[in-house]
Amino acid sequence: MLKALFLTMLTLALVKSQDTEETITYTQCTDGYEWDPVRQQCKDIDECDIVPDACKGGMKCVNHYGGYLCLPKTAQIIVNNEQPQQETQPAEGTSGATTGVVAASSMATSGVLPGGGFVASAAAVAGPEMQTGRNNFVIRRNPADPQRIPSNPSHRIQCAAGYEQSEHNVCQDIDECTAGTHNCRADQVCINLRGSFACQCPPGYQKRGDQCVDIDECTIPPYCHQRCVNTPGSFYCQCSPGFQLAANNYTCVDINECDASNQCAQQCYNILGSFICQCNQGYELSSDRLNCEDIDECRTSSYLCQYQCVNEPGKFSCMCPQGYQVVRSRTCQDINECETTNECREDEMCWNYHGGFRCYPRNPCQDPYILTPENRCVCPVSNAMCRELPQSIVYKYMSIRSDRSVPSDIFQIQATTIYANTINTFRIKSGNENGEFYLRQTSPVSAMLVLVKSLSGPREHIVDLEMLTVSSIGTFRTSSVLRLTIIVGPFSF
């Protein structure tokens, strides 16, 4: 008897705790409950999930509002007198405790429960709103009690506040939100509860007094990776130029502009949040920092080429005048035409000079001079015409560059035959009318021709250098001439 009474009291406490759930509008909750910020009310704590080994001795934990129960593993609970998920029909006249079923039929005579609605007997059939709860017991939100249905269908029953009589003469919850009988403000959302309702602010808003004000999500974590934009009831993240939102709509990832939309004319280098363009050698970035313009290297310096600079797309080249060839890409070197394209006749000799060549007669001697095997023009002593003429004339050729620096030693003259007891003197006999040259005697038998004025070509100078030989005792006097042909090239190289 005591055991049956104990089980009946447990069932009564379970039913009452489930039926008397109230909406708490403050954040301080009683033991067994915690505050739900979304629904703005207290919610039950499931101790069976959070308390390790809540029940001892092989008992099973059954959570209920504000606490939990420890029952035998074979026990089944019928809330509001519903049938268990797997019914076990007890034998007639036996107590519900012997079948492991906790019933609430003893409360049927009490009529209206504090939580609202009626409680049916253990013989009631599960209605359409039956749900299977955790730990194998059945929960019915709005139970009906067929035994309480009056025989007169017009008989009215008394329901708790927030409930109304249905067409089946049972108390059912009033949906104030659908019926429009709530008093929520226009900026609030109505949430229907069992026997009542609650007014909540929409997502993204918080209650401040009687007002729903926007929550500035940009001031609270999680923050956006770069920029946060608050909107009424929400927010969104933005990225700086050169970045884009990742799939999580929070993180900003770099955009590789070189792969996505390469705007560079030649070379593109991606950097964090941007990109830079570079040009190939011989080009430079234009003002738009995207395109490349050719660099006119010939205008940047006048020392790139020895003669002439020719600009080309992305590069430059050097040119040389006729008679020269380009060496080492920039300098000009004279072409020896006497070795490559000799156009002189057989009775002529080819003489190469800087920038060209000339043909001179192989026998330059003029009457009364005759050519000797030593390539000298000698005037015979037996010829009366030779008495007033130089004994010999030697023809020599040389070339110099235009605008050669001065003073400069350019040619040395030296006696080939030395006589005893003689004195040699040297002088410029002809070809120095403008004073471009000076002859400096360096020894008794030699002298040096010095260029004292700069010469510009192309030009040819013929200078006669004379050596006078006089006997120290005055017995004889003779002279010889070196006829020097100086060819000045057209350029300074």
Side-chain angles (χ1 to χ4, degrees):
M1 183 66 182
L2 290 176
K3 186 175 182 180
L5 180 60
F6 173 72
L7 292 176
T8 303
M9 292 177 65
L10 287 178
T11 305
L12 179 61
L14 177 62
V15 172
K16 185 173 183 180
S17 65
Q18 292 178 340
D19 290 347
T20 59
E21 180 184 4
E22 297 179 358
T23 301
I24 303 176
T25 59
Y26 48 87
T27 58
Q28 298 286 338
C29 299
T30 58
D31 293 341
Y33 292 87
E34 62 182 357
W35 181 252
D36 186 349
V38 176
R39 300 188 61 185
Q40 299 286 305
Q41 66 181 26
C42 293
K43 67 177 181 180
D44 176 56
I45 299 174
D46 191 348
E47 294 84 358
C48 296
D49 282 345
I50 64 174
V51 178
D53 298 330
C55 297
K56 308 294 184 180
M59 304 290 280
K60 67 178 179 179
C61 181
V62 179
N63 183 64
H64 73 93
Y65 295 98
Y68 66 97
L69 299 175
C70 293
L71 299 177
K73 289 186 177 181
T74 58
Q76 292 182 335
I77 299 177
I78 301 176
V79 181
N80 291 349
N81 289 335
E82 294 291 352
Q83 299 296 331
Q85 188 173 9
Q86 294 180 352
E87 293 189 11
T88 303
Q89 295 292 339
E92 184 176 357
T94 59
S95 172
T98 61
T99 64
V101 178
V102 181
S105 59
S106 60
M107 295 183 291
T109 58
S110 63
V112 180
L113 293 179
F118 285 85
V119 180
S121 65
V125 180
E129 296 179 343
M130 180 179 65
Q131 298 179 356
T132 302
R134 190 177 62 252
N135 300 328
N136 292 327
F137 60 88
V138 179
I139 301 174
R140 180 182 175 91
R141 295 300 181 187
N142 293 311
D145 186 0
Q147 295 183 0
R148 299 287 298 176
I149 299 176
S151 57
N152 186 359
S154 63
H155 177 71
R156 299 188 59 83
I157 60 177
Q158 182 179 0
C159 296
Y163 293 85
E164 64 182 355
Q165 180 180 350
S166 70
E167 60 182 6
H168 299 295
N169 287 345
V170 295
C171 291
Q172 64 181 12
D173 174 58
I174 300 173
D175 189 346
E176 295 85 354
C177 298
T178 304
T181 57
H182 62 86
N183 58 354
C184 296
R185 298 168 55 91
D187 58 350
Q188 294 177 333
V189 178
C190 178
I191 305 296
N192 185 60
L193 303 174
R194 189 173 60 183
S196 182
F197 66 94
C199 297
Q200 294 183 359
C201 292
Y205 292 84
Q206 61 183 354
K207 196 170 184 180
R208 184 174 298 170
D210 293 335
Q211 302 288 330
C212 286
V213 295
D214 174 56
I215 299 174
D216 189 354
E217 295 86 354
C218 297
T219 61
I220 56 177
Y223 299 102
C224 293
H225 190 187
Q226 291 184 348
R227 290 187 295 178
C228 178
V229 179
N230 184 60
T231 60
S234 184
F235 74 100
Y236 63 90
C237 296
Q238 282 186 345
C239 295
S240 303
F243 295 86
Q244 63 183 358
L245 276 177
N248 58 10
N249 290 327
Y250 164 77
T251 307
C252 292
V253 295
D254 175 57
I255 299 174
N256 189 342
E257 295 86 354
C258 296
D259 290 340
S261 57
N262 186 1
Q263 303 179 51
C264 297
Q266 291 183 356
Q267 300 178 27
C268 179
Y269 293 92
N270 184 63
I271 59 176
L272 191 63
S274 185
F275 69 100
I276 56 175
C277 297
Q278 288 190 356
C279 299
N280 300 328
Q281 184 176 0
Y283 294 87
E284 62 183 355
L285 278 177
S286 60
S287 57
D288 61 6
R289 314 303 296 172
L290 298 174
N291 295 303
C292 294
E293 297 177 349
D294 174 57
I295 299 175
D296 189 352
E297 297 88 353
C298 300
R299 299 184 62 182
T300 60
S301 174
S302 58
Y303 300 99
L304 291 176
C305 298
Q306 192 173 35
Y307 175 65
Q308 182 179 357
C309 178
V310 179
N311 184 60
E312 299 177 11
K315 61 179 181 177
F316 71 96
S317 61
C318 295
M319 291 183 62
C320 293
Q322 186 177 2
Y324 293 85
Q325 60 185 355
V326 179
V327 292
R328 294 186 296 275
S329 301
R330 299 193 179 188
T331 58
C332 295
Q333 184 182 63
D334 173 57
I335 298 174
N336 191 342
E337 294 87 355
C338 295
E339 295 179 353
T340 58
T341 58
N342 189 347
E343 298 179 358
C344 297
R345 301 191 305 267
E346 290 186 3
D347 60 343
E348 294 177 331
M349 58 173 288
C350 180
W351 182 260
N352 183 70
Y353 66 91
H354 297 289
F357 72 99
R358 292 195 178 185
C359 297
Y360 294 102
R362 292 185 181 273
N363 182 7
C365 301
Q366 298 178 4
D367 189 57
Y369 290 88
I370 60 175
L371 182 65
T372 66
E374 295 83 10
N375 290 326
R376 299 169 65 91
C377 294
V378 178
C379 192
V381 178
S382 59
N383 191 333
M385 297 177 59
C386 296
R387 292 178 182 179
E388 302 298 328
L389 297 174
Q391 180 186 3
S392 65
I393 300 176
V394 177
Y395 289 85
K396 294 294 182 180
Y397 306 91
M398 71 171 295
S399 62
I400 62 174
R401 295 179 176 88
S402 181
D403 302 319
R404 183 169 177 170
S405 60
V406 293
S408 179
D409 296 344
I410 61 173
F411 192 83
Q412 184 178 21
I413 181 174
Q414 186 172 353
T416 58
T417 303
I418 302 175
Y419 299 97
N421 301 319
T422 58
I423 299 173
N424 297 315
T425 59
F426 299 88
R427 67 170 183 156
I428 301 176
K429 186 177 182 179
S430 63
N432 193 29
E433 291 77 10
N434 296 323
E436 294 97 344
F437 305 99
Y438 166 74
L439 191 60
R440 183 182 74 246
Q441 188 165 348
T442 57
S443 73
V445 294
S446 64
M448 178 65 70
L449 182 65
V450 181
L451 178 67
V452 295
K453 288 184 179 181
S454 181
L455 299 177
S456 298
R459 183 178 176 185
E460 182 181 80
H461 286 269
I462 299 176
V463 181
D464 284 349
L465 305 178
E466 183 181 31
M467 182 181 70
L468 296 173
T469 304
V470 180
S471 172
S472 59
I473 58 176
T475 57
F476 70 94
R477 178 180 181 274
T478 184
S479 70
S480 60
V481 173
L482 188 147
R483 183 159 291 169
L484 179 63
T485 301
I486 303 173
I487 306 171
V488 183
F491 303 101
S492 60
F493 47 83

